[in-house]
Amino acid sequence: QTGNMATETVCVFCNKPSKYKCPGCETKTCSLPCYKQHKEVSKCSGKRKRSSFAQSVNELNDNTILQDFYLLEESTRFVGASHRDAELRGDSKRMKGWLQGRLKKLVSNCKKKSINLKILPVAFERHKKNRSFVTGERIAWTLEWLFINAEATYLAEKLFDDVPLSEHLLSLIGTQPNNTVRRQRLKEYVMPGSNKLDHLCLFLKAEGRPANDPRYFELNPDKTLKEILQNKTILEFPSIIVSTPAEKTSFPIMPEALTVTSTEQTEPAQTQALSTSTNPVAKTNTEPATETGTESIQKQTLIAGTEQQTHSPNQCHTIIEPVETQILNASTESVADTTSTNEHDTS
């Protein structure tokens, strides 16, 4: 019995005291090189068996019971992970129906108000924070306030789009008793004992810009959210930056020239029409088709001679001379055609 105990506590390769046991076949080894040698010799995978068949009750021990327990635990973990993945992908019927109904109505209402609302996949943290909804003709926005210099971010919900932005900001940093701690943290943004906001600047980041070239819209706090967000792209919900005049230079303003208007789109066509009407060469292309070949050649000759004369008078005769030769040839051909026609009629 003592010999059996000794064989169980030594390495099967070097007979040194064993320290490790193979999870797959429970072979005892003393080091990593011996364990690798064991896997090469016995072709063992080194992975724990999920279950083992017991021939009789006498073969049942703690290891077999643990194997069954681990198998059941792994199955439970796998089923739970599949449910979580379905919710993250939006495949859950309960979650999918509620989200699509709310967001579909929100996107449709934003489209009527000329707001380009972008919705992220459900796995994104920003999407999970969005609690905006539509009630009647109004939108109750989830709004994010960013105080960059104070490194503070506040998320407000149920902010209606027909209320001025200044009122929403005062509900956050006003002189109400419940804002005392917040005002203390944001003391560089507030005036002691006052609700004035004239010293603050509000910005909205322009979406779709390169990361190395951000631009911002400067907002008027007296306007409503509906007016502010019009013709702008919003990612889930608005994020408004509150800054002091000293921080204003850190936010480059979005230039108005980048916004393409209808007048800018029609300007090239108008310019082309104007240039066509003032171009004498273009006029010759629109002359009636009833003119004879000789008359049209004469007009083109005069126009070409006039244009060329304005550039180099010395070359005027050299350019017009071949054209005059064409006129004489055309006249001769027309006379010859007339003579042949008369002779045919006489015969």
Side-chain angles (χ1 to χ4, degrees):
Q1 186 176 0
T2 306
N4 293 335
M5 293 291 295
T7 56
E8 291 180 358
T9 57
V10 296
C11 178
V12 296
F13 292 100
C14 60
N15 292 328
K16 292 181 180 180
S18 63
K19 297 180 181 180
Y20 311 103
K21 184 171 63 174
C22 177
C25 61
E26 299 183 357
T27 300
K28 300 244 170 73
T29 54
C30 64
S31 61
L32 181 60
C34 291
Y35 175 70
K36 290 183 177 179
Q37 185 179 357
H38 153 66
K39 292 180 66 176
E40 292 178 359
V41 172
S42 62
K43 304 298 180 182
C44 178
S45 63
K47 295 182 179 180
R48 177 180 57 84
K49 294 181 180 179
R50 294 188 175 183
S51 63
S52 60
F53 179 74
Q55 297 291 340
S56 63
V57 179
N58 296 330
E59 296 181 1
L60 293 176
N61 53 27
D62 294 341
N63 291 333
T64 56
I65 294 175
L66 284 175
Q67 286 179 356
D68 294 341
F69 174 76
Y70 291 149
L71 177 62
L72 296 175
E73 188 181 42
E74 185 178 355
S75 302
T76 304
R77 189 165 53 247
F78 178 79
V79 173
S82 64
H83 285 305
R84 287 194 299 271
D85 291 342
E87 291 183 356
L88 291 177
R89 293 192 304 267
D91 295 340
S92 174
K93 293 182 179 180
R94 175 184 60 83
M95 189 174 183
K96 186 175 181 179
W98 180 77
L99 284 177
Q100 281 195 346
R102 178 177 67 92
L103 292 178
K104 186 176 181 180
K105 192 174 181 180
L106 179 62
V107 173
S108 177
N109 195 286
C110 288
K111 188 176 181 180
K112 293 178 182 178
K113 298 179 180 180
S114 301
I115 302 174
N116 186 16
L117 180 63
K118 299 293 184 181
I119 302 298
L120 296 173
V122 295
F124 282 72
E125 190 66 25
R126 189 173 181 85
H127 178 83
K128 297 177 182 178
K129 294 179 180 179
N130 188 8
R131 293 292 180 266
S132 305
F133 61 92
V134 178
T135 169
E137 294 297 329
R138 300 193 301 172
I139 299 178
W141 284 104
T142 296
L143 190 63
E144 185 179 32
W145 298 99
L146 302 174
F147 299 85
I148 304 298
N149 202 23
E151 297 181 355
T153 302
Y154 298 98
L155 199 66
E157 297 181 359
K158 298 181 181 180
L159 303 184
F160 291 100
D161 62 346
D162 56 353
V163 177
L165 188 61
S166 57
E167 293 188 15
H168 293 315
L169 184 56
L170 285 177
S171 64
L172 183 73
I173 61 173
T175 56
Q176 297 89 333
N178 58 342
N179 293 337
T180 304
V181 178
R182 192 180 298 118
R183 285 175 62 88
Q184 179 63 26
R185 184 180 180 183
L186 304 174
K187 55 184 177 180
E188 57 182 314
Y189 292 94
V190 299
M191 299 179 67
S194 175
N195 282 333
K196 291 184 178 181
L197 302 175
D198 300 339
H199 61 290
L200 296 179
C201 302
L202 305 180
F203 298 96
L204 177 68
K205 186 177 180 180
E207 300 293 343
R209 297 284 304 174
N212 58 353
D213 187 23
R215 288 291 184 270
Y216 301 86
F217 296 103
E218 188 170 6
L219 307 180
N220 184 0
D222 296 330
K223 290 186 177 181
T224 62
L225 278 173
K226 178 182 176 180
E227 298 171 338
I228 288 173
L229 301 180
Q230 191 174 11
N231 299 325
K232 293 181 178 63
T233 300
I234 305 300
L235 197 62
E236 287 287 347
F237 52 85
S239 295
I240 297 180
I241 302 172
V242 184
S243 70
T244 59
E247 302 172 339
K248 187 175 181 179
T249 55
S250 303
F251 305 101
I253 305 301
M254 183 75 169
E256 296 295 337
L258 296 181
T259 305
V260 180
T261 60
S262 58
T263 56
E264 292 175 344
Q265 294 175 350
T266 57
E267 184 179 356
Q270 295 175 354
T271 306
Q272 184 178 4
L274 182 61
S275 61
T276 304
S277 62
T278 55
N279 189 358
V281 179
K283 285 184 177 181
T284 59
N285 297 331
T286 58
E287 290 293 333
T290 56
E291 295 178 350
T292 62
T294 305
E295 292 176 351
S296 63
I297 292 175
Q298 289 177 352
K299 286 188 178 182
Q300 293 178 2
T301 303
L302 295 176
I303 293 171
T306 305
E307 290 181 350
Q308 187 65 27
Q309 189 174 3
T310 57
H311 296 289
S312 56
N314 296 330
Q315 298 178 0
C316 179
H317 296 289
T318 59
I319 293 176
I320 298 177
E321 183 176 359
V323 181
E324 290 179 348
T325 305
Q326 294 178 7
I327 296 174
L328 293 176
N329 293 336
S331 301
T332 305
E333 290 176 359
S334 62
V335 171
D337 293 340
T338 304
T339 304
S340 60
T341 302
N342 294 333
E343 290 177 357
H344 179 73
D345 294 338
T346 305
S347 63

